[in-house]
Amino acid sequence: MQVANQIRDILTEQFNPVELQINDDSSKHAGHAGADPRGESHFSVLVVSEKFEGENRVNRQRLVYGALDALLKDRVHALALKTMTPAEYETALANKNN
């Protein structure tokens, strides 16, 4: 998972996340337009960071897309993002467990 590791490294450096989940969804898109025969072209990512405090959803995603710009231009075709603050993440976990 070379590309996933690059994503992890970049997001860790830029956002110091308290939670970071990266799922390679490329196998679900094999044979579709944009699917890279090398794999690792479609990802779902959860980033939980204090850096998202005070930012709306669109600005949070812009920050992540900006950090991953080089990979998005060259290697990653699709990126599904979920961005949360630590407080939002804790609330989501509490609601999930109830």
Side-chain angles (χ1 to χ4, degrees):
M1 280 203 160
Q2 181 181 0
V3 176
N5 288 337
Q6 289 176 305
I7 292 170
R8 181 173 309 284
D9 291 347
I10 291 167
L11 296 181
T12 297
E13 180 181 323
Q14 293 289 318
F15 297 99
N16 191 30
V18 296
E19 180 70 26
L20 178 59
Q21 299 173 13
I22 302 169
N23 297 308
D24 184 351
D25 300 328
S26 302
S27 64
K28 298 176 189 174
H29 301 277
H32 296 171
D36 191 315
R38 299 172 290 178
E40 293 192 287
S41 59
H42 293 70
F43 293 90
S44 298
V45 177
L46 166 67
V47 186
V48 180
S49 174
E50 291 179 2
K51 293 200 176 187
F52 297 139
E53 294 286 348
E55 299 288 347
N56 65 33
R57 182 181 59 82
V58 172
N59 286 340
R60 293 173 185 186
Q61 292 187 353
R62 284 182 180 150
L63 290 170
V64 174
Y65 285 129
L68 298 175
D69 186 58
L71 283 176
L72 291 168
K73 287 179 179 174
D74 178 52
R75 196 66 175 83
V76 176
H77 175 72
L79 186 66
L81 287 178
K82 186 161 194 164
T83 55
M84 305 173 90
T85 66
E88 292 167 339
Y89 184 64
E90 291 299 323
T91 299
L93 286 178
N95 289 339
K96 183 179 178 181
N97 293 327
N98 288 333

